[in-house]
């Protein structure tokens, strides 16, 4: 599998997984089938669209073909019919969100590098790709986006993006680096929730 093919499949898998997380949140909020589809699409596509608009990659990948939209709608349908089965998993929305976070962090950073961005902007764009969909999803149901909460979220995405950029700098094979970055970002995110880790806050008293 070539790096371009790997990036395509990572993007598509991330789209589907984030779509599942958005649709599951919609079910928990007792939304109807339209609401489930809207949250699935918002969670699945927003991060990639932010990335592509920042890169000037038009049309954005989400609209360039039907594949990404179909993946998002497929996620919505899966949740609509099988949400009870998915709900039996431990913390399903969090786990799905963590997997999507890792996948989009590495795909965003890799695409930024492919467009010639320097390492630091590539890392930033990887993080924006990873957190964008979740932020839009949460805002649509009037929740504070996870990226702004105390839990480790953006830091996990940052780890995945840094691994991709570091691997590129040392000339490592892109495919294993992408898989490693996505896996570690998802693992850190899940572990942070299970262990109650929090991102650092400013020192000193607050009113």
């Amino acid at each position: 599998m070539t790096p371009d093919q790997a990036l395509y499949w990572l993007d598509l898998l991330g789209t589907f997984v984030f779509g599942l997380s958005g649709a599951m949140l919609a079910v928990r909020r007792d939304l109807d089938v339209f609401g489930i589809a809207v949250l699935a699409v918002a969670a699945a596509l927003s991060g990639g669209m932010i990335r592509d608009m920042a890169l000037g990659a038009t049309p954005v990948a989400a609209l360039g073909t039907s594949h990404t939209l179909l993946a998002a709608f497929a996620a919505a349908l899966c949740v609509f019919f099988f949400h009870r089965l998915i709900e039996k998993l431990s913390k399903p929305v969090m786990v799905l969100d963590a997997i999507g976070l890792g996948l989009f962090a590495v795909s965003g950073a890799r695409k930024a590098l492919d467009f010639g961005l320097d390492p630091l902007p590539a890392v930033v764009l990887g993080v924006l790709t990873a957190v964008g969909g979740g932020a839009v999803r949460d805002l649509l149901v009037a929740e504070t986006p996870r990226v702004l909460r105390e839990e480790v979220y953006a830091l996990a995405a940052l780890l995945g993006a840094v691994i991709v950029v570091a691997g590129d700098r040392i000339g490592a094979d892109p495919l294993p680096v992408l898989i490693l970055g996505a896996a570690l970002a998802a693992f850190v995110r899940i572990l942070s929730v299970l262990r109650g880790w929090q991102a650092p806050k400013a020192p000193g008293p607050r009113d």
Side-chain angles (χ1 to χ4, degrees):
M1 183 182 293
T2 67
D4 285 345
Q5 290 173 326
L7 192 62
Y8 169 79
W9 286 109
L10 283 172
D11 243 2
L12 204 60
L13 180 58
T15 297
F16 181 75
V17 172
F18 256 141
L20 289 175
S21 76
M24 284 299 298
L25 184 58
V27 168
R28 287 184 169 184
R29 290 304 186 93
D30 200 28
L31 302 185
D32 62 15
V33 63
F34 181 74
I36 292 172
V38 167
L39 254 64
V41 170
L45 304 187
S46 298
M49 293 177 74
I50 292 169
R51 174 200 63 203
D52 291 347
M53 287 188 291
L55 291 172
T58 54
V60 295
L63 303 178
T65 69
S66 299
H67 299 164
T68 47
L69 280 170
L70 288 174
F73 286 131
L77 284 174
C78 284
V79 169
F80 184 78
F81 288 108
F82 304 113
H83 63 89
R84 292 182 181 86
L85 181 62
I86 298 173
E87 193 66 51
K88 291 180 180 180
L89 300 172
S90 177
K91 299 182 181 294
V93 174
M94 183 275 292
V95 172
L96 292 169
D97 189 66
I99 295 171
L101 183 83
L103 291 169
F104 272 5
V106 299
S107 71
R110 182 66 258 175
K111 189 164 186 176
L113 291 171
D114 291 342
F115 270 71
L117 267 65
D118 287 342
L120 183 56
V123 168
V124 171
L125 197 56
V127 173
L128 286 175
T129 306
V131 305
V136 172
R137 173 201 62 205
D138 294 344
L139 288 171
L140 286 174
V141 292
E143 282 190 8
T144 302
R146 284 186 171 89
V147 66
L148 301 179
R149 299 181 195 172
E150 295 178 358
E151 299 170 349
V152 174
Y153 192 76
L155 290 177
L158 179 66
L159 173 63
V162 166
I163 288 172
V164 171
V165 171
D168 181 74
R169 297 293 287 178
I170 65 175
D173 186 352
L175 183 55
V177 170
L178 288 170
I179 295 172
L180 176 64
L184 283 180
F187 176 74
V188 168
R189 166 62 184 155
I190 293 171
L191 190 63
S192 73
V193 174
L194 297 178
R195 295 293 183 90
W197 293 346
Q198 296 182 351
K201 293 194 277 187
R206 282 172 289 274
D207 295 331

